[in-house]
Amino acid sequence: MAGRHELAHPEDLQMVMLAYRLEGRQPPFAEWAAAQPGVRMANEFERADVLRAEEERLRAVYDGTEGVGLLRLNVRAALSEYDGGRGGYYLTAFTPGSVLTFTAYPVDRAHPERVSVRVDNQGELNFWPLDAATARDVLDRNGGLRNVVLDARMRITGISRRSDGSALSATLLGYTITSDRHGQPVVLGELRFDGNGG
């Protein structure tokens, strides 16, 4: 479906540009550039140069999506209370049917561009199996907090157009569970999947 390059921790506009590229469409660079506040506020002597620079910036964002077939996204999640019967934590991300949404406003707030990412793995993706001692250590290392960040890696498998924007499908390859409570990520653990959920 897509290339081998990874788009790491993209902003919303990068995701919109990626969707345009994967759909084989060219974004309306001139229209988007003309709508930017810096262009609209430029005086008549500077406007043409500011417009050109803005259009070049947008084209550079689009060019940066060439060959992208992998995504790396930070997804916020929370740990459940420890499930002693099963032996592990449930995470509030990557539950069945969950969708990640990116929204950019290249023209104005009334004309959003949206891209959703739907994970297509079969099986359970949000259970983190741990023995009780390790689970307690994880909670201690996270300062007793249940909020974590999942540094997730995905392979793009398809794209479709919907009434509310573009919908990417992707296979979740795995994620690293991190704590960022001190501003520096601390790795708490990781899960890997074979592409079918297991």
Side-chain angles (χ1 to χ4, degrees):
M1 156 74 206
R4 296 183 177 183
H5 293 114
E6 179 182 80
L7 186 59
H9 312 300
E11 296 177 356
D12 293 40
L13 182 61
Q14 289 175 289
M15 288 297 291
V16 168
M17 295 290 196
L18 175 62
Y20 268 82
R21 180 174 292 282
L22 294 175
E23 291 168 349
R25 298 188 302 145
Q26 182 106 342
F29 296 116
E31 177 190 346
W32 288 1
Q36 299 310 300
V39 174
R40 287 187 283 112
M41 293 171 59
N43 66 45
E44 64 271 33
F45 305 107
E46 300 169 345
R47 191 171 300 122
D49 289 339
V50 175
L51 177 63
R52 189 177 313 107
E54 183 59 29
E55 194 168 335
E56 287 173 4
R57 182 188 74 82
L58 292 170
R59 286 183 185 278
V61 175
Y62 181 73
D63 290 347
T65 64
E66 187 171 0
V68 168
L70 300 167
L71 294 174
R72 186 173 173 189
L73 306 175
N74 279 344
V75 179
R76 296 207 168 272
L79 301 173
S80 68
E81 290 209 356
Y82 184 72
D83 184 332
R86 255 192 106 183
Y89 288 120
Y90 290 93
L91 297 150
T92 57
F94 301 119
T95 56
S98 62
V99 176
L100 304 173
T101 303
F102 298 82
T103 306
Y105 302 92
V107 176
D108 58 39
R109 288 276 180 198
H111 301 90
E113 293 272 344
R114 288 192 178 90
V115 179
S116 61
V117 179
R118 300 169 192 274
V119 174
D120 60 15
N121 303 56
Q122 299 297 310
E124 191 173 47
L125 304 173
N126 67 321
F127 184 71
W128 184 15
L130 295 169
D131 62 62
T134 304
R136 182 173 185 165
D137 179 62
V138 163
L139 201 56
D140 288 345
R141 287 169 53 214
N142 202 30
L145 302 174
R146 297 199 174 267
N147 295 329
V148 293
V149 175
L150 310 182
D151 184 359
R153 287 186 167 77
M154 304 176 187
R155 182 176 58 249
I156 298 168
T157 56
I159 189 164
S160 60
R161 283 294 292 167
R162 301 186 179 202
S163 59
D164 61 346
S166 302
L168 284 175
S169 56
T171 297
L172 182 62
L173 304 175
Y175 50 81
T176 302
I177 302 145
T178 65
S179 167
D180 65 353
R181 67 189 185 98
H182 295 300
Q184 291 287 80
V186 174
V187 174
L188 301 173
E190 70 182 322
L191 291 173
R192 294 287 171 255
F193 305 104
D194 61 12
N196 297 313

